[in-house]
Amino acid sequence: MKGTAIKQLTDPLIDKNPVAVHILGICSALAVTTSMATALTMSVALTVVVTLAAGIISALRRHIPGQIRIILQLTIIATLVILADLLLQAFAWQMSQRLTVFVSLIATNCIVLGRTEAYALHNPPLPAMRDAAGNGLGYALVLMVVAFIRELFGAGSLFGVQILTPQAEGGWFIPLRLMLLAPSAFIILGLLVWALRSWRPHLAEPPAFTAPETRQEARP
């Protein structure tokens, strides 16, 4: 049981990572990774929402009619997202303004609805919450790696603390402004997916189409 619990938390970090392997939730992964502070806040918010949503839906799973399960799941998720957004506005107003609508969009994140629909509806609350927390941590890992690269090379800082002194202040570092633009997030995420699948080839999908072999008949 202990090994299974650990596996539920660790598998989504690499082998079943929701972003790098299943390519889910990439919109927010690209939008909030200009700094590690926003990426961390978004990661915590999503992990808390998906974990609580999985626990609640799992506890109610025997009482949810199949015809309205999606509506009910979205209602529970949206309620938790609203609470998370209100807490941010109350205790971290500036961060709430930096994240703008992306906290609210957690309600439409494929990771959240996917884990509640695929796992929480069919398993007891504790395993469902472990599964959801593992996927939240996997999402957070990718966000933090992308944000680390973008903030360090785009602004020379980490969590807003200047690490590399720019030339304008007498240092040697020239900020790569491309890193703070949306295309850089696509490039970094693509390289992460390539690196992960090169490291673990079994994660790569089989080719959708294989060209037939052409055989050259021997002439007499």
Side-chain angles (χ1 to χ4, degrees):
M1 291 294 292
K2 184 178 180 181
T4 303
I6 295 174
K7 190 175 179 65
Q8 279 187 304
L9 290 172
T10 57
D11 272 1
L13 296 179
I14 301 295
D15 288 339
K16 296 180 180 179
N17 190 283
V19 181
V21 176
H22 300 301
I23 319 297
L24 299 174
I26 61 172
C27 294
S28 57
L30 302 178
V32 302
T33 52
T34 52
S35 74
M36 294 192 72
T38 54
L40 180 61
T41 305
M42 187 69 176
S43 299
V44 172
L46 183 135
T47 302
V48 170
V49 167
V50 70
T51 303
L52 293 178
I56 295 170
I57 291 167
S58 176
L60 299 175
R61 70 189 187 280
R62 301 185 189 278
H63 308 284
I64 299 176
Q67 297 87 342
I68 62 168
R69 70 183 192 283
I70 298 294
I71 297 173
L72 186 58
Q73 288 177 68
L74 286 174
T75 302
I76 293 171
I77 292 167
T79 302
L80 293 170
V81 169
I82 291 170
L83 290 175
D85 194 21
L86 290 175
L87 286 172
L88 272 177
Q89 292 181 33
F91 297 103
W93 171 253
Q94 291 184 349
M95 181 59 67
S96 173
Q97 294 304 297
R98 290 173 65 182
L99 289 172
T100 61
V101 300
F102 294 106
V103 174
S104 300
L105 290 176
I106 292 175
T108 63
N109 194 298
C110 299
I111 298 172
V112 181
L113 186 59
R115 296 326 299 166
T116 56
E117 173 71 13
Y119 197 89
L121 273 178
H122 310 286
N123 293 274
L126 191 55
M129 293 180 73
R130 282 198 301 261
D131 172 80
N135 278 271
L137 292 174
Y139 171 87
L141 177 62
V142 173
L143 252 67
M144 295 308 291
V145 171
V146 175
F148 175 87
I149 297 171
R150 293 184 71 187
E151 185 178 1
L152 181 63
F153 293 103
S157 61
L158 294 175
F159 287 103
V161 178
Q162 200 67 39
I163 304 296
L164 305 175
T165 306
Q167 282 188 341
E169 299 177 10
W172 58 271
F173 175 65
I174 300 176
L176 303 176
R177 297 304 179 188
L178 174 63
M179 286 293 176
L180 301 179
L181 302 178
S184 68
F186 279 100
I187 295 169
I188 295 168
L189 187 57
L191 290 174
L192 283 177
V193 172
W194 168 78
L196 180 60
R197 298 187 182 192
S198 298
W199 175 37
R200 295 181 178 266
H202 65 278
L203 298 178
E205 297 92 347
F209 173 76
T210 303
E213 296 182 0
T214 56
R215 297 180 180 179
Q216 185 175 4
E217 297 181 0
R219 294 182 180 179

